[in-house]
Amino acid sequence: QIKMIFLHVQTLPARTIKLSRRQLLLQSSSTSKTGCQIVASALSALNLLDVKKATGPESLKAAKLMDLYFDSKAKLIHGLLGQMSVPTNSKEGSANIPNGLSSYYTPEATDQAEQIISKIVRILQYDVILHPYQIFILRRFAANPNDEETNILSTLPKFDQELLKNKASNFLAAHLPLIRTKVKSVLVAIAGTTASRLGHIRQSLYDKTDGVDCRKELDGNSVSTWDEAVASIVDVKIVTHGLDGMTSAAIITTSTASSGSAHTTLATGSTGNRKFSLWGTLFSNTF
């Protein structure tokens, strides 16, 4: 019995590493207020059991943890993009498929596409911007500091803010064009077959990126605001350089929201006072 217990205990580190890596491949925002804490715990376990095995200074271990984190989020986003359904091939006599169309987005496929796009938006908001800022820079995830928070974050190395800003910005610069291209192709297909849904999707995506309720939710964690996180880890110059398909005019001009009020697509004021906006980078030119 003692031998069995010993053999079982020997497997715990490897199993913990596997579970922690798997956790990073999940959408942390889906667990609401506990999402940031779960991610911090997974990073802590990886640092203690896996990354610390590597020799080198603490800064190298911190960089490896950040690379592991963003690589996991890249896999998550690519997996969701791969799930984006293509139009169903129409068959003569098929129900609900207009005659003369070679492909058709069924209502079910349209719903699925909208859900996937919404998931990707939340991943960009929470997993790529808000939570990395809270964990790597602020080293806080609880509204009121407590022993559990201290015990978890004390096991993490110190992270360089400029390095995080560079990694996060390059991540966005690499993935925003891919997401925008895929989303645009899906929305164009939807508009060609179920145009009545396009207006609803447009309003829904605006509400989930620049809407008042969305901003309240992003700012409602009692740890940091969305603007603070964006200002700290998003380099607009790097991101806009990656968005080479967008003209400079689209980057700095304002457009009108569905409600009729003016809002900024990516920047307000002069180019020296640019503000990052997911609506501006992903959707404003698509509709």
Side-chain angles (χ1 to χ4, degrees):
Q1 188 177 7
I2 294 175
K3 183 178 180 180
M4 289 178 62
I5 294 173
F6 175 76
L7 293 175
H8 175 71
V9 170
Q10 277 189 317
T11 67
L12 291 180
R15 291 170 62 189
T16 303
I17 290 172
K18 185 177 180 179
L19 288 173
S20 298
R21 287 178 176 270
R22 187 181 301 170
Q23 183 61 49
L24 294 183
L25 292 170
L26 300 178
Q27 179 184 350
S28 66
S29 57
S30 64
T31 52
S32 187
K33 293 183 179 180
T34 61
C36 191
Q37 178 178 344
I38 293 173
V39 172
S41 299
L43 290 169
S44 171
L46 289 170
N47 183 52
L48 291 171
L49 300 174
D50 192 24
V51 177
K52 278 197 170 183
K53 292 179 181 179
T55 58
E58 186 179 63
S59 59
L60 179 61
K61 298 171 186 174
K64 287 185 176 181
L65 269 181
M66 287 191 286
D67 286 339
L68 176 61
Y69 180 83
F70 285 111
D71 286 346
S72 299
K73 299 310 171 183
K75 292 178 182 178
L76 176 59
I77 289 176
H78 282 284
L80 288 172
L81 290 175
Q83 294 175 26
M84 203 86 76
S85 61
V86 296
T88 303
N89 291 331
S90 64
K91 297 179 181 179
E92 187 176 353
S94 296
N96 301 322
I97 298 182
N99 293 327
L101 288 178
S102 60
S103 60
Y104 177 68
Y105 254 92
T106 64
E108 294 78 12
T110 302
D111 290 340
Q112 183 184 25
E114 183 179 356
Q115 291 172 7
I116 292 174
I117 294 171
S118 298
K119 284 183 180 180
I120 292 174
V121 166
R122 289 185 68 84
I123 289 169
L124 293 173
Q125 290 170 329
Y126 287 88
D127 300 56
V128 177
I129 296 176
L130 199 58
H131 289 172
Y133 173 62
Q134 293 173 351
I135 295 172
F136 298 134
I137 303 303
L138 294 183
R139 302 177 75 88
R140 282 190 59 195
F141 55 73
N144 300 311
N146 53 61
D147 292 340
E148 184 178 18
E149 179 187 69
T150 302
N151 292 336
I152 293 173
L153 296 176
S154 64
T155 62
L156 293 174
K158 293 183 179 179
F159 299 92
D160 182 83
Q161 182 172 345
E162 288 303 314
L163 182 60
L164 172 62
K165 188 172 187 176
N166 182 269
K167 290 182 181 295
S169 300
N170 279 298
F171 181 96
L172 292 169
H175 289 85
L176 288 179
L178 295 176
I179 297 169
R180 189 178 61 181
T181 300
K182 182 68 173 181
V183 168
K184 185 175 182 179
S185 65
V186 169
L187 293 178
V188 167
I190 292 174
T193 55
T194 55
S196 61
R197 284 292 305 275
L198 201 61
H200 166 78
I201 294 174
R202 181 189 189 280
Q203 184 63 51
S204 175
L205 291 176
Y206 176 75
D207 290 341
K208 292 172 181 176
T209 51
D210 278 6
V212 175
D213 291 339
C214 169
R215 292 301 300 270
K216 285 183 179 179
E217 181 183 348
L218 290 170
D219 293 343
N221 57 75
S222 302
V223 175
S224 66
T225 66
W226 170 255
D227 286 339
E228 290 171 350
V230 169
S232 297
I233 71 170
V234 177
D235 189 324
V236 177
K237 290 183 179 179
I238 294 177
V239 175
T240 53
H241 180 73
L243 294 165
D244 53 4
M246 181 180 289
T247 62
S248 58
I251 292 174
I252 62 174
T253 56
T254 59
S255 62
T256 302
S258 301
S259 60
S261 59
H263 71 281
T264 306
T265 57
L266 183 61
T268 56
S270 65
T271 56
N273 190 31
R274 292 179 175 178
K275 290 185 179 180
F276 175 77
S277 164
L278 286 175
W279 170 259
T281 56
L282 291 176
F283 308 123
S284 64
N285 284 7
T286 302
F287 292 95

